[in-house]
């Protein structure tokens, strides 16, 4: 009702301005289309949880593949046991031909008019002009091409190709925008539109640009006590505004656009390290204006993380792969377990707020030269977040899988009764 009223009031105001000669007919249509576009963007932000839940229901036949997770998957994509991340095979392959479904042909009906009187041809162009995020630039990224589970089902081999961020954004986030538009127009009755129907199969990665994201649940382990960390994504980010997410998380992309980094940074551990530097330590986007590739073995804070991992004081595990039901974006689920003293040493200068959001913490109290404390990895806390629509879908999967594998990972994670969380899995 609020969105409809806003549209009506905007139209009345524009009509009055047109009658009084304050704006031209072309300006009237341009401003009206921009207002309608921004209202859909607002729906996408404010009703994100509902949209994601609706999308999961629409794709319910493809969810989980018997694993119980709310992601579009195939058998073998969610691992039976956590695996050291280096055992996942990542292959850089040549980019396939342009996808047969051109988003411009299907989606332009949703985009507003530019000052030329023509509709914007791509989603990122309209966003750049009318609703530009603070962290907004086109960069080299990896796109999913093929997924091959091992014969035993214990590992995965992923073929990835180079792409650009906005090519992925114009597919995955445009798909979400279309869903919000249909949801708004049908008063919450459905989300499927022409673009989703034309794409057809969420497993057909060659039919669209499918960017790859990752989410890492960070666990600090102190004997039988384990804690984990979450972040509330702020208004500056391009996607997932106001969502709660495991930290760190981000795009799987190289540290810069050079051919050298494109090959060298096809390593999930490198991407996770860079996000730790940004989201826990408040470093600027490490890919900007460097002039040379990152030297992970000698540049802080990466050198200390590398040393800790080689000594077995922190362990990064791969949990599985899924496709988000709303956006059809591929997500890699991981968990990083730190020995407590190592965590405290690496993140003694932890910040609460970074360029992408604010850490959600049980308390802002911290000891001298120590990081903030995370949430207890126990029954009441996990239930609180897993029941919340504000938690991002990929973070929900990472939490569930980490709980499922808690004993393999060396985490007790017991509730007050010592019996664990019934029904969580």
């Amino acid at each position: 009702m609020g969105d409809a009223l806003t549209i009506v009031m905007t139209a009345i105001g524009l009509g009055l301005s047109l009658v009084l000669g304050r704006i031209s007919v072309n300006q009237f249509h341009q401003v009206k289309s921009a207002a309608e576009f921004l209202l859909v963007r607002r729906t996408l932000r404010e009703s994100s949880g509902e949209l994601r839940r609706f999308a999961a229901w629409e794709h319910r036949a493809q969810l989980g593949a018997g694993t119980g997770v709310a992601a579009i998957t195939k058998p073998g994509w969610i691992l039976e046991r956590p695996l050291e991340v280096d055992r996942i095979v990542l292959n850089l392959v040549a980019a396939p031909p342009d996808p047969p479904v051109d988003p411009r042909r299907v989606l332009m009906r949703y985009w507003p008019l530019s000052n030329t009187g023509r509709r914007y041809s791509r989603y990122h162009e309209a966003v750049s002009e009318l609703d530009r995020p603070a962290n907004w630039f086109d960069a080299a990224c990896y796109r999913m091409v093929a997924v091959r589970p091992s014969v035993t089902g214990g590992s995965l081999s992923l073929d990835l190709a180079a792409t650009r961020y906005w090519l992925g954004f114009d597919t995955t986030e445009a798909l979400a925008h279309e869903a919000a538009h249909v949801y708004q127009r049908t008063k919450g009755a459905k989300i499927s539109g022409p673009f989703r129907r034309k794409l057809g199969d969420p497993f057909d990665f060659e039919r669209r640009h499918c960017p790859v994201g990752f989410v890492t649940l960070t666990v600090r382990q102190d004997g039988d006590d384990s804690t984990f960390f979450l972040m509330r994504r702020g208004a500056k980010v391009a996607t997932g505004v106001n969502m709660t997410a495991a930290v760190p998380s981000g795009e799987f992309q190289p540290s810069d656009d050079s051919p050298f980094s494109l090959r060298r940074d096809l390593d999930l551990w490198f991407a996770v390290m860079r996000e730790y530097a940004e989201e826990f330590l408040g470093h600027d986007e490490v890919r900007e204006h460097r002039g040379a590739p990152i030297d992970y073995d000698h540049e802080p804070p990466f050198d200390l993380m590398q040393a800790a991992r080689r000594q077995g004081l922190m362990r990064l595990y791969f949990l599985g792969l899924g496709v988000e039901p709303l956006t059809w974006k591929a997500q890699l689920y991981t968990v990083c377990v730190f020995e407590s003293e190592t965590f405290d040493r690496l993140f003694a200068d932890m910040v609460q707020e970074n360029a992408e959001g604010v850490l959600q913490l049980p308390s802002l109290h911290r000891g001298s030269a120590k990081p903030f404390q995370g949430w207890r990895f126990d029954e009441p806390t996990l239930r609180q977040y897993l029941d919340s629509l504000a938690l991002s879908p990929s973070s929900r999967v990472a939490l569930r899988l980490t709980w499922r594998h808690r004993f393999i990972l060396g985490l007790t994670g017991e509730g007050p009764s010592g019996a664990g969380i019934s029904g969580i899995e």
Side-chain angles (χ1 to χ4, degrees), residues 85-86 88 90-91 142 160 214 251-255 261-274 296 306 309 316 332:
V85 74
D86 291 340
I88 301 300
L90 303 177
N91 307 302
Y142 301 111
L160 300 110
F214 68 90
E251 300 292 325
F252 189 27
Q253 58 187 179
S255 55
S261 294
L262 187 69
R263 294 188 300 272
R264 192 274 310 265
D265 287 349
L266 191 69
D267 187 315
L268 197 50
W269 166 237
F270 288 172
V272 170
M273 278 199 294
R274 295 197 305 271
Y296 293 101
Q306 289 273 65
R309 186 166 178 243
L316 180 63
L332 309 178

Tab-separated table of all heavy atoms in Angstrom, residues 85-86 88 90-91 142 160 214 251-255 261-274 296 306 309 316 332:
chain	number	residue	atom	x	y	z
A	85	VAL	N	40.523	-26.770	2.064
A	85	VAL	CA	40.138	-26.035	0.860
A	85	VAL	C	41.089	-26.289	-0.313
A	85	VAL	O	40.680	-26.232	-1.480
A	85	VAL	CB	40.022	-24.528	1.180
A	85	VAL	CG1	41.398	-23.905	1.339
A	85	VAL	CG2	39.200	-23.796	0.138
A	86	ASP	N	42.355	-26.621	-0.030
A	86	ASP	CA	43.308	-26.862	-1.107
A	86	ASP	C	42.989	-28.116	-1.911
A	86	ASP	O	43.525	-28.308	-3.004
A	86	ASP	CB	44.728	-26.977	-0.539
A	86	ASP	CG	45.244	-25.653	-0.013
A	86	ASP	OD1	44.691	-24.612	-0.412
A	86	ASP	OD2	46.186	-25.649	0.788
A	88	ILE	N	40.053	-28.819	-3.112
A	88	ILE	CA	39.073	-28.491	-4.146
A	88	ILE	C	39.838	-28.043	-5.394
A	88	ILE	O	40.688	-27.157	-5.318
A	88	ILE	CB	38.123	-27.384	-3.673
A	88	ILE	CG1	37.379	-27.831	-2.410
A	88	ILE	CG2	37.134	-27.017	-4.761
A	88	ILE	CD1	36.543	-29.078	-2.588
A	90	LEU	N	40.340	-26.119	-8.727
A	90	LEU	CA	39.834	-24.950	-9.451
A	90	LEU	C	40.598	-24.817	-10.759
A	90	LEU	O	41.832	-24.705	-10.760
A	90	LEU	CB	40.009	-23.682	-8.610
A	90	LEU	CG	39.359	-23.691	-7.215
A	90	LEU	CD1	39.673	-22.396	-6.478
A	90	LEU	CD2	37.861	-23.895	-7.323
A	91	ASN	N	39.873	-24.833	-11.862
A	91	ASN	CA	40.493	-24.756	-13.185
A	91	ASN	C	40.076	-23.458	-13.873
A	91	ASN	O	38.887	-23.150	-13.946
A	91	ASN	CB	40.041	-25.936	-14.056
A	91	ASN	CG	40.256	-27.281	-13.379
A	91	ASN	OD1	41.381	-27.621	-13.018
A	91	ASN	ND2	39.183	-28.035	-13.189
A	142	TYR	N	35.497	-14.089	-11.387
A	142	TYR	CA	35.393	-15.429	-11.942
A	142	TYR	C	33.915	-15.783	-12.108
A	142	TYR	O	33.086	-15.428	-11.281
A	142	TYR	CB	36.064	-16.457	-11.035
A	142	TYR	CG	37.534	-16.186	-10.799
A	142	TYR	CD1	37.996	-15.787	-9.549
A	142	TYR	CD2	38.462	-16.328	-11.831
A	142	TYR	CE1	39.340	-15.539	-9.328
A	142	TYR	CE2	39.811	-16.078	-11.617
A	142	TYR	CZ	40.240	-15.684	-10.363
A	142	TYR	OH	41.576	-15.431	-10.157
A	160	LEU	N	36.188	-22.440	-13.967
A	160	LEU	CA	35.822	-21.037	-13.883
A	160	LEU	C	36.493	-20.261	-15.007
A	160	LEU	O	37.582	-20.630	-15.457
A	160	LEU	CB	36.217	-20.446	-12.531
A	160	LEU	CG	35.571	-21.129	-11.322
A	160	LEU	CD1	36.621	-21.911	-10.549
A	160	LEU	CD2	34.908	-20.122	-10.414
A	214	PHE	N	31.548	-16.227	-2.203
A	214	PHE	CA	31.900	-17.185	-1.142
A	214	PHE	C	31.469	-16.609	0.201
A	214	PHE	O	31.375	-15.389	0.384
A	214	PHE	CB	33.402	-17.496	-1.135
A	214	PHE	CG	34.272	-16.339	-0.713
A	214	PHE	CD1	34.603	-16.130	0.622
A	214	PHE	CD2	34.754	-15.442	-1.653
A	214	PHE	CE1	35.389	-15.059	1.010
A	214	PHE	CE2	35.540	-14.365	-1.286
A	214	PHE	CZ	35.861	-14.172	0.053
A	251	GLU	N	32.899	-11.456	-3.218
A	251	GLU	CA	33.014	-11.977	-4.573
A	251	GLU	C	34.300	-12.790	-4.690
A	251	GLU	O	35.336	-12.417	-4.128
A	251	GLU	CB	33.071	-10.823	-5.590
A	251	GLU	CG	31.866	-9.916	-5.592
A	251	GLU	CD	30.625	-10.609	-6.109
A	251	GLU	OE1	30.741	-11.450	-7.018
A	251	GLU	OE2	29.535	-10.293	-5.591
A	252	PHE	N	34.223	-13.890	-5.442
A	252	PHE	CA	35.452	-14.615	-5.749
A	252	PHE	C	36.055	-13.948	-6.972
A	252	PHE	O	35.540	-14.061	-8.085
A	252	PHE	CB	35.142	-16.087	-6.002
A	252	PHE	CG	36.369	-16.953	-6.115
A	252	PHE	CD1	37.556	-16.616	-5.484
A	252	PHE	CD2	36.340	-18.120	-6.859
A	252	PHE	CE1	38.684	-17.403	-5.573
A	252	PHE	CE2	37.459	-18.935	-6.961
A	252	PHE	CZ	38.638	-18.579	-6.318
A	253	GLN	N	37.153	-13.219	-6.746
A	253	GLN	CA	37.763	-12.424	-7.796
A	253	GLN	C	39.251	-12.277	-7.518
A	253	GLN	O	39.707	-12.442	-6.377
A	253	GLN	CB	37.112	-11.043	-7.874
A	253	GLN	CG	37.174	-10.250	-6.613
A	253	GLN	CD	36.376	-8.963	-6.661
A	253	GLN	OE1	36.312	-8.214	-5.705
A	253	GLN	NE2	35.728	-8.683	-7.777
A	254	PRO	N	40.034	-11.966	-8.528
A	254	PRO	CA	41.461	-11.730	-8.304
A	254	PRO	C	41.694	-10.390	-7.611
A	254	PRO	O	40.797	-9.548	-7.541
A	254	PRO	CB	42.041	-11.735	-9.719
A	254	PRO	CG	40.907	-11.325	-10.591
A	254	PRO	CD	39.663	-11.868	-9.951
A	255	SER	N	42.905	-10.197	-7.117
A	255	SER	CA	43.223	-8.978	-6.372
A	255	SER	C	43.405	-7.772	-7.288
A	255	SER	O	43.373	-6.639	-6.823
A	255	SER	CB	44.485	-9.179	-5.530
A	255	SER	OG	45.561	-9.612	-6.354
A	261	SER	N	47.514	-11.945	-11.927
A	261	SER	CA	46.664	-12.137	-10.751
A	261	SER	C	45.448	-13.001	-11.065
A	261	SER	O	44.977	-13.755	-10.214
A	261	SER	CB	46.226	-10.788	-10.182
A	261	SER	OG	47.340	-10.079	-9.667
A	262	LEU	N	44.933	-12.898	-12.283
A	262	LEU	CA	43.797	-13.722	-12.671
A	262	LEU	C	44.133	-15.204	-12.511
A	262	LEU	O	43.305	-15.990	-12.030
A	262	LEU	CB	43.403	-13.418	-14.117
A	262	LEU	CG	42.126	-14.093	-14.615
A	262	LEU	CD1	40.892	-13.506	-13.928
A	262	LEU	CD2	42.005	-13.958	-16.135
A	263	ARG	N	45.352	-15.587	-12.882
A	263	ARG	CA	45.767	-16.990	-12.731
A	263	ARG	C	46.183	-17.295	-11.293
A	263	ARG	O	45.757	-18.292	-10.713
A	263	ARG	CB	46.936	-17.291	-13.680
A	263	ARG	CG	46.568	-17.228	-15.160
A	263	ARG	CD	47.722	-17.742	-16.019
A	263	ARG	NE	48.936	-16.940	-15.820
A	263	ARG	CZ	49.221	-15.837	-16.511
A	263	ARG	NH1	48.373	-15.386	-17.421
A	263	ARG	NH2	50.333	-15.176	-16.277
A	264	ARG	N	47.029	-16.453	-10.716
A	264	ARG	CA	47.581	-16.728	-9.384
A	264	ARG	C	46.506	-16.709	-8.301
A	264	ARG	O	46.552	-17.496	-7.348
A	264	ARG	CB	48.667	-15.675	-9.090
A	264	ARG	CG	49.570	-15.944	-7.870
A	264	ARG	CD	48.978	-15.431	-6.559
A	264	ARG	NE	48.521	-14.059	-6.627
A	264	ARG	CZ	49.260	-13.002	-6.245
A	264	ARG	NH1	50.463	-13.179	-5.761
A	264	ARG	NH2	48.746	-11.769	-6.313
A	265	ASP	N	45.507	-15.833	-8.422
A	265	ASP	CA	44.510	-15.663	-7.374
A	265	ASP	C	43.299	-16.583	-7.519
A	265	ASP	O	42.294	-16.406	-6.824
A	265	ASP	CB	44.032	-14.205	-7.326
A	265	ASP	CG	45.078	-13.274	-6.737
A	265	ASP	OD1	46.069	-13.779	-6.174
A	265	ASP	OD2	44.912	-12.046	-6.843
A	266	LEU	N	43.389	-17.556	-8.409
A	266	LEU	CA	42.349	-18.582	-8.471
A	266	LEU	C	42.566	-19.528	-7.287
A	266	LEU	O	42.879	-20.709	-7.430
A	266	LEU	CB	42.402	-19.349	-9.796
A	266	LEU	CG	41.203	-20.254	-10.065
A	266	LEU	CD1	39.950	-19.435	-10.319
A	266	LEU	CD2	41.467	-21.168	-11.266
A	267	ASP	N	42.402	-18.971	-6.107
A	267	ASP	CA	42.705	-19.637	-4.843
A	267	ASP	C	41.765	-19.058	-3.794
A	267	ASP	O	41.836	-17.869	-3.468
A	267	ASP	CB	44.171	-19.381	-4.467
A	267	ASP	CG	44.620	-20.162	-3.255
A	267	ASP	OD1	43.856	-20.198	-2.254
A	267	ASP	OD2	45.734	-20.723	-3.284
A	268	LEU	N	40.895	-19.879	-3.277
A	268	LEU	CA	39.878	-19.386	-2.348
A	268	LEU	C	40.509	-18.845	-1.073
A	268	LEU	O	39.998	-17.882	-0.475
A	268	LEU	CB	38.903	-20.526	-2.031
A	268	LEU	CG	37.553	-20.150	-1.424
A	268	LEU	CD1	36.858	-19.053	-2.214
A	268	LEU	CD2	36.664	-21.382	-1.331
A	269	TRP	N	41.610	-19.418	-0.640
A	269	TRP	CA	42.289	-18.944	0.565
A	269	TRP	C	42.779	-17.503	0.395
A	269	TRP	O	42.657	-16.683	1.312
A	269	TRP	CB	43.445	-19.877	0.906
A	269	TRP	CG	44.437	-19.354	1.901
A	269	TRP	CD1	45.767	-19.205	1.728
A	269	TRP	CD2	44.172	-18.914	3.249
A	269	TRP	NE1	46.361	-18.689	2.852
A	269	TRP	CE2	45.404	-18.508	3.808
A	269	TRP	CE3	43.018	-18.819	4.025
A	269	TRP	CZ2	45.505	-18.014	5.097
A	269	TRP	CZ3	43.129	-18.322	5.321
A	269	TRP	CH2	44.356	-17.937	5.848
A	270	PHE	N	43.298	-17.165	-0.770
A	270	PHE	CA	43.751	-15.794	-1.009
A	270	PHE	C	42.570	-14.819	-0.911
A	270	PHE	O	42.692	-13.735	-0.336
A	270	PHE	CB	44.413	-15.670	-2.382
A	270	PHE	CG	45.762	-16.324	-2.486
A	270	PHE	CD1	46.402	-16.428	-3.716
A	270	PHE	CD2	46.403	-16.830	-1.372
A	270	PHE	CE1	47.653	-17.022	-3.824
A	270	PHE	CE2	47.659	-17.437	-1.460
A	270	PHE	CZ	48.279	-17.534	-2.692
A	271	ALA	N	41.437	-15.207	-1.486
A	271	ALA	CA	40.253	-14.333	-1.426
A	271	ALA	C	39.780	-14.155	0.011
A	271	ALA	O	39.406	-13.046	0.421
A	271	ALA	CB	39.134	-14.922	-2.287
A	272	VAL	N	39.795	-15.234	0.795
A	272	VAL	CA	39.370	-15.158	2.197
A	272	VAL	C	40.306	-14.251	2.980
A	272	VAL	O	39.867	-13.414	3.790
A	272	VAL	CB	39.300	-16.566	2.813
A	272	VAL	CG1	39.105	-16.497	4.331
A	272	VAL	CG2	38.160	-17.373	2.178
A	273	MET	N	41.608	-14.372	2.763
A	273	MET	CA	42.562	-13.507	3.462
A	273	MET	C	42.299	-12.039	3.176
A	273	MET	O	42.346	-11.193	4.085
A	273	MET	CB	44.000	-13.865	3.059
A	273	MET	CG	44.598	-15.042	3.789
A	273	MET	SD	46.413	-15.053	3.662
A	273	MET	CE	46.642	-15.333	1.912
A	274	ARG	N	42.062	-11.708	1.926
A	274	ARG	CA	41.827	-10.299	1.585
A	274	ARG	C	40.573	-9.777	2.279
A	274	ARG	O	40.539	-8.626	2.746
A	274	ARG	CB	41.707	-10.138	0.065
A	274	ARG	CG	42.979	-10.469	-0.699
A	274	ARG	CD	42.958	-9.901	-2.114
A	274	ARG	NE	41.805	-10.320	-2.885
A	274	ARG	CZ	41.746	-11.419	-3.633
A	274	ARG	NH1	42.787	-12.241	-3.687
A	274	ARG	NH2	40.656	-11.703	-4.328
A	296	TYR	N	51.654	-12.290	-0.840
A	296	TYR	CA	50.973	-12.845	0.328
A	296	TYR	C	51.945	-13.374	1.386
A	296	TYR	O	51.587	-13.461	2.561
A	296	TYR	CB	50.025	-13.969	-0.106
A	296	TYR	CG	48.856	-13.505	-0.946
A	296	TYR	CD1	48.859	-13.660	-2.328
A	296	TYR	CD2	47.745	-12.901	-0.357
A	296	TYR	CE1	47.798	-13.237	-3.102
A	296	TYR	CE2	46.671	-12.468	-1.125
A	296	TYR	CZ	46.707	-12.634	-2.503
A	296	TYR	OH	45.646	-12.203	-3.272
A	306	GLN	N	49.304	-16.491	6.552
A	306	GLN	CA	49.948	-17.605	5.862
A	306	GLN	C	50.741	-18.464	6.844
A	306	GLN	O	50.653	-19.701	6.823
A	306	GLN	CB	50.894	-17.070	4.773
A	306	GLN	CG	50.229	-16.451	3.575
A	306	GLN	CD	49.877	-17.480	2.515
A	306	GLN	OE1	49.051	-18.357	2.755
A	306	GLN	NE2	50.483	-17.357	1.352
A	309	ARG	N	48.460	-20.518	9.162
A	309	ARG	CA	47.834	-21.661	8.488
A	309	ARG	C	48.837	-22.784	8.257
A	309	ARG	O	48.522	-23.962	8.435
A	309	ARG	CB	47.221	-21.203	7.163
A	309	ARG	CG	46.430	-22.297	6.466
A	309	ARG	CD	45.568	-21.728	5.350
A	309	ARG	NE	44.856	-22.796	4.675
A	309	ARG	CZ	45.007	-23.123	3.401
A	309	ARG	NH1	45.847	-22.428	2.643
A	309	ARG	NH2	44.323	-24.110	2.863
A	316	LEU	N	41.098	-23.759	7.066
A	316	LEU	CA	40.002	-23.352	6.191
A	316	LEU	C	39.445	-24.585	5.496
A	316	LEU	O	40.167	-25.293	4.787
A	316	LEU	CB	40.479	-22.331	5.152
A	316	LEU	CG	39.421	-21.824	4.162
A	316	LEU	CD1	38.306	-21.074	4.886
A	316	LEU	CD2	40.057	-20.932	3.094
A	332	LEU	N	30.093	-20.450	-2.715
A	332	LEU	CA	30.974	-21.451	-2.125
A	332	LEU	C	30.909	-21.303	-0.611
A	332	LEU	O	31.113	-20.197	-0.082
A	332	LEU	CB	32.406	-21.250	-2.615
A	332	LEU	CG	32.590	-21.128	-4.140
A	332	LEU	CD1	34.056	-20.881	-4.486
A	332	LEU	CD2	32.074	-22.369	-4.852
